[in-house]
Amino acid sequence: MRATIKDVAKAAGVSPSTVSFIINNKPVPISKDTREKVMRAVEELHYRPNQLAVGLVTNTTNTIGLILPDSTNPFFATLSNQIEIKLRQKNINVIIGNTSGNAKITREYLRIFSDRCVDGIILAQLDFEDEEETAKCQKLIHSIDIPIIYVDRVADERNHYSVEVDQKLIGYLATNHLLDLGHTRIGCASGSINLNVNSSRYEGYRTALKERKLTPDPNLLFCDSLSIECGIKALPDLLGQNVTAIFAFNDMIAYGIYKECRNYNLSIPGDLSVIGVDNIVLSDIIQPPLTTVAQPVTQIADYVVKGMLDLMKIPNIEFEHVKLNPILKVRASTMQAV
Ligand code: RIB
């Protein structure tokens, strides 16, 4: 049975209000001896304040709900870790919900966090392949009276605070790098093109080609998922299109291409140049180190936490739509076209 504040008071021989003053560090004159007695009782009874009761009094739970589409992906793992560290510095706890990109699960977590009266929600996916699902999530969000900030997979939801990276520029930088190396048949290995992040990267790819008077070939776009499996499946398909380079829409896809190249006895970059997106933790460790377009995860987390804290303090704050720039990291997986 969970100890209550009354149990602690009884064990220490003081009133419940004295216990409350002490555990909440209220500026009231209490003797050192009484403080020690109370803290000893707290320890012995393993007392923890009931956060629901505290919330009813303070109207805050000091907790943020963070909803991620794929916590197994190092990009999201690093982003959520950065957000947690920064919020913990403000004595705010984070509860994470992983949705596997499923809109129904996203709505379940929105309801769970709302029912638990979190002080805010950080939503890393409000963009789904099925536009109806996106609309259902938006409808639910409008019914929830809790500050919500969007990050990364932001639908075109202008009336919410959002933090994202310029996804079209990601595609443009990756493609331009390969074009500068003389590649003209550049394959794309992507997740669903119905996701904004992927369609925007593909738009950047097309823009870079057109700038050099090259006509994008739709046969060079392979769509599956933002996963290692996509890279494994994409390689034979794109090799059949005589590509000399592949733009993988994230590093996990690039890892799949690396893996499958072994089965085709292809060397990277000698036989095939590969560029990724995200600059996740293994990308400069694998052989050859992966050329990739990095997303500024620490900066994303800074803006998300700042926006969340502002929204919690001033609910009707002027919404910001922060758009950050990606950074090209040239390593050893790309080389001059032969
Ligand atoms: O690797 C996961 C990808 O999905 C990242 O590029 C990020 O932008 C997310 O949307």
Side-chain angles (χ1 to χ4, degrees), residues 114-235:
S114 172
D115 293 348
R116 279 160 177 69
C117 301
V118 296
D119 295 327
I121 295 173
I122 300 168
L123 182 54
Q125 175 162 13
L126 183 71
D127 168 38
F128 297 95
E129 294 176 50
D130 178 341
E131 285 179 8
E132 270 187 40
E133 290 297 337
T134 301
K136 280 183 195 171
C137 287
Q138 288 168 321
K139 186 165 180 267
L140 174 59
I141 285 166
H142 294 151
S143 70
I144 292 174
D145 185 23
I146 291 178
I148 294 186
I149 187 166
Y150 298 148
V151 58
D152 187 57
R153 295 180 185 176
V154 180
D156 186 20
E157 177 75 17
R158 293 303 92 189
N159 62 343
H160 267 82
Y161 207 119
S162 65
V163 181
E164 58 189 320
V165 175
D166 187 332
Q167 302 293 334
K168 181 177 175 184
L169 184 54
I170 285 179
Y172 184 82
L173 290 176
T175 308
N176 239 15
H177 170 68
L178 295 171
L179 291 167
D180 287 345
L181 293 172
H183 297 280
T184 55
R185 283 199 66 79
I186 302 169
C188 290
S190 170
S192 163
I193 207 66
N194 296 321
L195 274 186
N196 286 350
V197 287
N198 296 322
S199 56
S200 300
R201 290 172 196 177
Y202 188 55
E203 192 187 336
Y205 163 87
R206 290 170 53 84
T207 300
L209 288 172
K210 289 177 187 171
E211 275 185 358
R212 307 208 190 192
K213 308 289 185 256
L214 294 167
T215 305
D217 177 353
N219 295 312
L220 301 192
L221 172 63
F222 180 90
C223 290
D224 183 76
S225 60
L226 288 163
S227 66
I228 289 173
E229 191 58 30
C230 171
I232 293 170
K233 291 190 259 185
L235 184 71

Side-chain angles (χ1 to χ4, degrees), residues 73 75-76 152-153 167 197 201 226 250 277-278 295:
N73 183 305
F75 169 84
F76 287 113
D152 187 57
R153 295 180 185 176
Q167 302 293 334
V197 287
R201 290 172 196 177
L226 288 163
N250 76 351
V277 178
D278 292 344
Q295 301 204 61

Side-chain angles (χ1 to χ4, degrees), residues 74-136:
F75 169 84
F76 287 113
T78 306
L79 177 62
S80 64
N81 181 254
Q82 287 286 323
I83 290 171
E84 274 192 280
I85 290 168
K86 294 172 192 303
L87 284 173
R88 196 174 293 122
Q89 288 165 353
K90 305 287 184 186
N91 294 319
I92 295 174
N93 302 306
V94 177
I95 301 178
I96 293 173
N98 176 41
T99 69
S100 304
N102 180 301
K104 190 169 177 296
I105 299 174
T106 302
R107 287 194 292 277
E108 281 171 17
Y109 273 115
L110 284 167
R111 292 189 187 96
I112 287 167
F113 289 149
S114 172
D115 293 348
R116 279 160 177 69
C117 301
V118 296
D119 295 327
I121 295 173
I122 300 168
L123 182 54
Q125 175 162 13
L126 183 71
D127 168 38
F128 297 95
E129 294 176 50
D130 178 341
E131 285 179 8
E132 270 187 40
E133 290 297 337
T134 301
K136 280 183 195 171

Side-chain angles (χ1 to χ4, degrees), residues 149-336:
I149 187 166
Y150 298 148
V151 58
D152 187 57
R153 295 180 185 176
V154 180
D156 186 20
E157 177 75 17
R158 293 303 92 189
N159 62 343
H160 267 82
Y161 207 119
S162 65
V163 181
E164 58 189 320
V165 175
D166 187 332
Q167 302 293 334
K168 181 177 175 184
L169 184 54
I170 285 179
Y172 184 82
L173 290 176
T175 308
N176 239 15
H177 170 68
L178 295 171
L179 291 167
D180 287 345
L181 293 172
H183 297 280
T184 55
R185 283 199 66 79
I186 302 169
C188 290
S190 170
S192 163
I193 207 66
N194 296 321
L195 274 186
N196 286 350
V197 287
N198 296 322
S199 56
S200 300
R201 290 172 196 177
Y202 188 55
E203 192 187 336
Y205 163 87
R206 290 170 53 84
T207 300
L209 288 172
K210 289 177 187 171
E211 275 185 358
R212 307 208 190 192
K213 308 289 185 256
L214 294 167
T215 305
D217 177 353
N219 295 312
L220 301 192
L221 172 63
F222 180 90
C223 290
D224 183 76
S225 60
L226 288 163
S227 66
I228 289 173
E229 191 58 30
C230 171
I232 293 170
K233 291 190 259 185
L235 184 71
D237 183 282
L238 294 174
L239 289 177
Q241 299 290 338
N242 302 314
V243 300
T244 60
I246 295 178
F247 166 26
F249 280 24
N250 76 351
D251 288 1
M252 300 291 273
I253 294 174
Y255 297 174
I257 292 167
Y258 271 56
K259 183 173 190 287
E260 196 60 8
C261 275
R262 291 203 292 268
N263 294 336
Y264 284 79
N265 293 317
L266 290 176
S267 80
I268 294 171
D271 298 319
L272 177 74
S273 284
V274 180
I275 187 168
V277 178
D278 292 344
N279 191 33
I280 54 178
V281 65
L282 295 176
S283 295
D284 70 351
I285 296 171
I286 58 174
Q287 279 305 324
L290 179 66
T291 297
T292 184
V293 182
Q295 301 204 61
V297 174
T298 302
Q299 207 184 3
I300 297 170
D302 281 335
Y303 276 98
V304 165
V305 168
K306 177 187 176 304
M308 192 79 264
L309 295 174
D310 288 349
L311 281 167
M312 286 160 65
K313 275 195 294 260
I314 318 155
N316 303 318
I317 191 173
E318 178 79 20
F319 294 128
E320 286 190 52
H321 305 295
V322 177
K323 186 166 274 192
L324 302 169
N325 287 328
I327 310 109
L328 177 63
K329 298 274 187 189
V330 179
R331 298 194 176 108
S333 62
T334 49
M335 68 175 275
Q336 197 68 33

